[in-house]
Amino acid sequence: MFVHVPLERATDPRPDSPIRHIATPSAFAQASLYYVQETGCGRIREKCFLERDTLGSYLIVYTVSGTGTLTYRNQSHRLRPGEAAFIDGQHHHRFGSDANKEWELYWVYFNGAGVRTYYEQFAEQEKPLAALLPDSQLGQLFERLQREQLIPDLRAELVASSILVSMMTEVVLAAHQYSSSNPAYPPLIQGVMQVIDRDYRQRLTLDRLADRFEVNKFHLAKLFKRCTGTTPGEYMINRRITRAKELLLDTALPVGDIALEVGIENTSHFINLFKERSGLTPLAYRKKWQRI
DNA sequence: CATCCGAGAGGTTCAGTATT
DNA sequence: AATACTGAACCTCTCGGATG
């Protein structure tokens, strides 16, 4: 059993002491949107903490200035300015400030049908923290999110949902150290991507790619995943399926010929791959999308 | 076009080595 | 000490042939 000390009670009711909005999302929001359960912000100047577990909720904490401490899954982490944590509230977590050290922060407990997928993308790295990119808008997003809590209506729930998507996007991108304008992939990964983009019709395997670039295949697979978020094989399949969609819509080629054209000799295997990734068989895709 | 299934390739993890 | 790289072991998934 963990102690729960509300932040308000642990600090003076100064104007700039932490404020907290608790939300009661509508049934519609819970079924179809990303929704806020609790959000707050403030400047903490004394030792206080918030400790929880087994919440059906996710948490993003963002440090504006000062430092705080996050304990999550039995590990402690310093939360420095410009850093955000994204954690699963199901697990025990505690975040708090130190005595005599100011910590200015935002936090939000939230949920929604797709949050787990974002969280899994984020949690691929070791720590539950990410240093935000220089052009990050996370602070502004928190401010907008909190303004939307003032009048809880349908409009506010829709806007809050879209803000939460933007926030999750920012922290996941930061975790992978992407920048939208400059992916900054290492030359090796750029080269591998170019080869796949150009030669996806051929029989490309991880071994052949590794040989071609004279690197260890395990190292290549690992680096590719770290940089792009996907494996070389999955990247190539994606490229092939995308090209197959173009051919299905732009030509009258039979499915078997399209499979060959995108480098998959076995038609049944092509159909399986296509259906897994599109939810439709190739022919069904052609019929459905050509009508538009 | 869809389903099943076995073989083999690919992905992940972890321990170890090399390099900076 | 931190980071980059290698490779074995193990597990998962893809591929492609057979069949309906």
Side-chain angles (χ1 to χ4, degrees), chain A residues 34 46 77 85 89 108 125 141 147 168 170 174 203 213 216 222 235 237 268 270 281:
Chain A
Y34 296 103
E46 297 176 0
H77 309 275
V108 59
Q125 49 164 16
L141 289 169
R147 278 202 300 276
M168 287 189 288
E170 287 234 355
R203 198 185 180 83
F213 287 89
N216 179 275
K222 205 172 190 171
Y235 181 82
I237 290 169
S268 68
F270 168 70
T281 62

Side-chain angles (χ1 to χ4, degrees), chain A residues 255-256 259 264-275 282:
Chain A
V255 172
I264 301 173
E265 288 175 21
N266 190 293
T267 311
S268 68
H269 178 53
F270 168 70
I271 292 166
N272 285 336
L273 282 179
F274 194 96
K275 192 176 174 185

